[in-house]
Amino acid sequence: MKKITLPEHSKLLDKSFLFGVATSSFQIEGARDSRLKSIWDTFCETPGKIIDKSNGLVACEHIERWLEDIDLIQSLGVDTYRFSISWPRVMHEDGSLNHEGLGFYIQLLDTLNARGIKPFVTLYHWDLPQFIEDNGGWLNRETAYLFQDYVDKVSLFFGDRVHSYATFNEPFCSAYLGYEIGVHAPGKTGVKSGRQAAHHILLAHGLAMQVLQKNSPSSLNGIVLNFTPCYPADDSESSLKAADYANQYINHWYIKPLLHGEYPAMLAELPDDQKPDIEANDLQIMAQPLDFLGVNFYTRLTYSAPTVTDFSDPEKSPFYTEHAHLHPQTDIGWEIYPQALTDLLTKILSDYNLPPIYITENGAAMADELVDGAVHDNSRIDYYQSHLLAVHEAAEQGVQIDGYFAWSLMDNFEWAEGYLKRFGLVYVDYQTQQRILKDSALAYQAFLLSRTHNDNHVNK
Ligand code: IFM
């Protein structure tokens, strides 16, 4: 079997560097309890939205199998587990706490802590309660304040059980995929709509950070952003310019308000009716100090000059043309290009005064086959090996990176792709709910258990 290895002197082998696995609520939990409906339940019920017509009602039955899953997590030898809280499971419609739902997470947190596995909690991984969407969802400014209230109540309830809170997972996906091009829940479209949703989510982040600083000052509090580095398709001036715009729109639109308290320069070039409504102080609220920044990385994209010059066609950007993914690709069609992860981390280090970084997601969907009880997913092992070396390289170049999470612990509901794309280290047989360690899980486990820590930092 292939191995995962790092150079002996690697900073990733310092005692303080955390390795983990990640999941999210809607993707694994199932819904056979008192949780409210979320926008993803509604989206799954809408014909044509999910490729295999599936939903999250059963998923990986994690609500029932959580203890078995913690055994699995522990067996991998990880330091930490990243998972998300389902807002519709822990809050009633009247704003009071749902104690059954909270009890589930308390068991999870207490068991993880008892076993020395640090809980990294994400407070929003896309499953907005449907009743809030019925009131406008992230297009309604009020949702930012409802989020703050939810975070306030839940973080007080959890006390000191949580090692780290991330307010949001990938605001780009919620805003752009969900409210601009409509391929994710709630399936709304429109350029202004996407930007307005993004603005309210970033505002909600800032409001929630204020609450976390008060309620949970000793946890690491931050946010998780996804980055898709944008490269010019060729050396021409016009492609360079296009890639710069794409980087502003896809990446800096989210990190710049958080770290510099302003949107990228291209905002000023938009027609007024395509700009988000921004109130005084919003950007100040967004730019709360961060204990960490979570970076999710999977792939890169390439760009050349736009084919239109005006703003009349919302389907076509007057800033750039995005190209199809190059090869080699994973099973979901994303280019495998690990150098982009090193480039990204060193670039954001030069652009911003960064807090410590955690790679909060990285991994690959592969066309796994279960044969005689085993999954020989060598290509996934190669993906992890090359990307861990890319993280190592960025650390060598001065980026402070404190942890790495493989996406995902196990195969799960991959949003609009349903259950067709498998990102797990662990194979899930959806008929029997049996979990089977793929070769990549065994390689990750062997790597984690073989670590003899460099003592450069004290353990957190
Ligand atoms: O499965 C998703 C996850 O929910 C968010 N980040 C990207 C993953 C792969 O698409």
Side-chain angles (χ1 to χ4, degrees):
M1 199 181 61
K2 289 196 170 198
K3 286 191 172 159
I4 295 176
T5 55
L6 283 170
E8 248 173 60
H9 69 277
S10 177
K11 294 194 174 72
L12 277 60
L13 296 173
D14 287 355
K15 229 181 190 167
S16 59
F17 192 97
L18 303 179
F19 279 95
V21 285
T23 63
S24 89
S25 48
F26 192 87
Q27 292 179 275
I28 66 164
E29 287 178 346
R32 286 190 285 230
D33 64 348
S34 60
R35 91 148 160 73
L36 299 177
K37 197 169 182 177
S38 84
I39 54 173
W40 272 94
D41 295 304
T42 311
F43 198 66
C44 290
E45 287 166 2
T46 314
K49 297 297 184 190
I50 311 295
I51 292 186
D52 62 358
K53 304 186 173 62
S54 62
N55 57 49
L57 296 179
V58 175
C60 304
E61 271 184 356
H62 177 68
I63 282 287
E64 288 86 7
R65 294 172 182 268
W66 64 272
L67 192 51
E68 179 194 338
D69 289 337
I70 293 186
D71 290 343
L72 198 60
I73 293 166
Q74 188 175 18
S75 78
L76 294 176
V78 294
D79 312 303
T80 170
Y81 172 48
R82 173 173 179 248
F83 61 99
S84 76
I85 307 296
S86 163
W87 185 354
R89 173 165 280 118
V90 296
M91 299 286 286
H92 294 297
E93 202 165 329
D94 64 4
S96 63
L97 291 172
N98 175 337
H99 287 271
E100 183 192 340
L102 281 165
F104 168 71
Y105 292 113
I106 292 287
Q107 278 180 327
L108 201 63
L109 289 166
D110 285 347
T111 309
L112 289 168
N113 283 320
R115 298 190 186 190
I117 301 168
K118 293 179 169 42
F120 266 63
V121 166
T122 305
L123 290 157
Y124 186 88
H125 197 124
W126 309 356
D127 40 1
L128 184 72
Q130 180 61 43
F131 77 89
I132 298 181
E133 179 59 34
D134 294 340
N135 242 342
W138 288 112
L139 298 180
N140 184 347
R141 190 178 168 89
E142 188 52 32
T143 300
Y145 293 89
L146 291 179
F147 181 73
Q148 184 186 37
D149 179 59
Y150 147 67
V151 173
D152 185 29
K153 289 176 175 150
V154 164
S155 58
L156 281 176
F157 197 88
F158 287 163
D160 61 2
R161 292 176 171 88
V162 174
H163 183 76
S164 158
Y165 280 110
T167 54
F168 284 86
N169 179 69
E170 305 181 345
F172 166 87
C173 294
S174 295
Y176 180 78
L177 303 180
Y179 288 86
E180 184 160 336
I181 62 168
V183 297
H184 276 190
K188 293 198 170 143
T189 52
V191 280
K192 166 137 185 181
S193 152
R195 293 162 196 162
Q196 195 62 60
H199 185 74
H200 289 151
I201 290 171
L202 295 175
L203 176 67
H205 156 79
L207 293 167
M209 283 298 290
Q210 292 173 336
V211 157
L212 290 172
Q213 281 147 8
K214 187 161 55 73
N215 294 356
S216 188
S218 54
S219 54
L220 293 173
N221 303 323
I223 187 169
V224 170
L225 302 180
N226 59 305
F227 291 86
T228 304
C230 306
Y231 288 74
D234 53 54
D235 288 341
S236 66
E237 255 322 292
S238 59
S239 293
L240 282 167
K241 197 170 158 198
D244 176 58
Y245 272 126
N247 260 318
Q248 290 189 53
Y249 198 49
I250 293 173
N251 300 312
H252 294 284
W253 198 276
Y254 300 87
I255 185 174
K256 198 162 186 182
L258 301 179
L259 296 181
H260 287 173
E262 60 184 19
Y263 279 110
M266 73 183 286
L267 175 82
E269 296 182 46
L270 299 173
D272 282 345
D273 64 352
Q274 294 189 9
K275 289 179 184 161
D277 299 330
I278 302 175
E279 292 191 11
N281 295 332
D282 283 359
L283 281 138
Q284 264 162 280
I285 296 172
M286 291 174 188
Q288 299 298 313
L290 296 173
D291 297 330
F292 80 97
L293 173 67
V295 169
N296 291 357
F297 174 87
Y298 290 91
T299 189
R300 65 135 182 195
L301 280 165
T302 55
Y303 294 85
S304 56
T307 51
V308 296
T309 50
D310 66 13
F311 292 88
S312 55
D313 181 355
E315 304 275 299
K316 287 201 172 124
S317 168
F319 294 108
Y320 50 75
T321 301
E322 187 175 286
H323 292 254
H325 277 282
L326 304 176
H327 289 270
Q329 297 179 352
T330 64
D331 192 40
I332 204 166
W334 298 346
E335 185 187 359
I336 303 172
Y337 191 78
Q339 178 62 41
L341 180 51
T342 309
D343 293 350
L344 163 73
L345 293 167
T346 52
K347 182 76 174 76
I348 56 175
L349 177 67
S350 69
D351 288 345
Y352 299 98
N353 186 9
L354 287 180
I357 299 288
Y358 286 81
I359 307 301
T360 33
E361 283 182 29
N362 177 233
M366 294 295 177
D368 296 323
E369 278 179 46
L370 180 64
V371 181
D372 297 333
V375 179
H376 301 303
D377 57 341
N378 282 335
S379 51
R380 184 176 285 105
I381 300 177
D382 289 343
Y383 184 97
Y384 279 118
Q385 174 66 60
S386 57
H387 286 77
L388 280 167
L389 285 175
V391 178
H392 159 76
E393 188 49 42
E396 289 292 289
Q397 293 184 41
V399 187
Q400 190 190 332
I401 307 161
D402 286 354
Y404 175 94
F405 294 79
W407 183 271
S408 173
L409 164 67
M410 58 185 161
D411 297 334
N412 57 50
F413 177 76
E414 178 53 26
W415 309 112
E417 308 281 341
Y419 295 94
L420 299 177
K421 300 297 171 200
R422 293 179 175 270
F423 272 91
L425 290 169
V426 175
Y427 186 91
V428 176
D429 177 335
Y430 294 113
Q431 302 305 315
T432 62
Q433 289 294 344
Q434 199 192 346
R435 278 81 160 127
I436 300 149
L437 270 68
K438 301 177 192 174
D439 284 359
S440 57
L442 298 172
Y444 197 48
Q445 180 185 51
F447 161 70
L448 295 176
L449 298 176
S450 74
R451 282 176 298 166
T452 49
H453 284 122
N454 301 332
D455 265 322
N456 297 351
H457 293 107
V458 280
N459 211 351
K460 272 181 254 170

